[in-house]
Amino acid sequence: MAIVATLVVTGCIAQKRSVGVQAADVAKVELYFYTYGTDPRTVERTTITSPGLIEELTSAFTDVPVSAPNDTEQTKGARAAGVRYTTKDGRRIELTQIFVEPSVVFILWQDGSANRTELGVPLVDYYREGDPTEVVSADEAPIARLP
């Protein structure tokens, strides 16, 4: 009986992924907003330099419970945010979040892998107001594709 219970509990533990940077090491976070599955010519960029918001954006992608990226067809037309962390020593760490609907969020990591998670909000709804936003060439954004 104990072996069966152990297998059931172990099977329920989600893998966790993290962006791999500490908020204290980040100088700025750039958010690039676009519609996933299209080839945009331009995207909206918001630059975050507030330490509190940098902490929030770093925490949002730390220890995220993830699973395999199944049913990826639903991502076409979803809201996407390319996220670029620039560290104080000049390194860049990038990821892309695709928000389909509550509990259906995909994260494309810098190493080329992708995961699905039930956590996340559409970043465009929370980080565009109050911070400088400008329209830039899509070539500037970390636009990733699902593998």
Side-chain angles (χ1 to χ4, degrees):
M1 187 71 142
I3 294 173
V4 172
T6 302
L7 291 174
V8 171
V9 172
T10 303
C12 294
I13 297 173
Q15 175 187 3
K16 292 188 178 185
R17 291 284 310 260
S18 294
V19 67
V21 67
Q22 300 295 316
D25 297 329
V26 176
K28 68 179 177 179
V29 179
E30 294 169 302
L31 302 172
Y32 296 84
F33 303 116
Y34 60 98
T35 301
Y36 189 78
T38 63
D39 287 318
R41 291 189 173 167
T42 60
V43 296
E44 289 185 21
R45 177 178 62 199
T46 296
T47 302
I48 309 287
T49 56
S50 161
L53 292 179
I54 289 172
E55 173 71 37
E56 194 173 297
L57 282 164
T58 304
S59 293
F61 295 102
T62 300
D63 292 330
V64 180
V66 297
S67 61
N70 58 4
D71 198 17
T72 59
E73 291 298 317
Q74 62 188 321
T75 60
K76 187 168 177 101
R79 293 181 281 183
V83 183
R84 178 178 292 136
Y85 299 86
T86 302
T87 63
K88 293 173 182 171
D89 65 3
R91 290 180 302 123
R92 290 180 168 182
I93 298 100
E94 300 177 344
L95 60 87
T96 297
Q97 179 214 52
I98 305 167
F99 182 88
V100 177
E101 61 185 43
S103 298
V104 182
V105 179
F106 293 84
I107 301 173
L108 313 179
W109 303 95
Q110 182 161 316
D111 65 4
S113 65
N115 292 110
R116 181 174 169 166
T117 184
E118 294 184 1
L119 300 180
V121 296
L123 297 180
V124 68
D125 291 349
Y126 294 90
Y127 294 103
R128 189 174 3 187
E129 260 183 63
D131 291 299
T133 299
E134 59 187 322
V135 175
V136 298
S137 168
D139 294 337
E140 293 186 33
I143 298 178
R145 300 281 180 229
L146 281 163

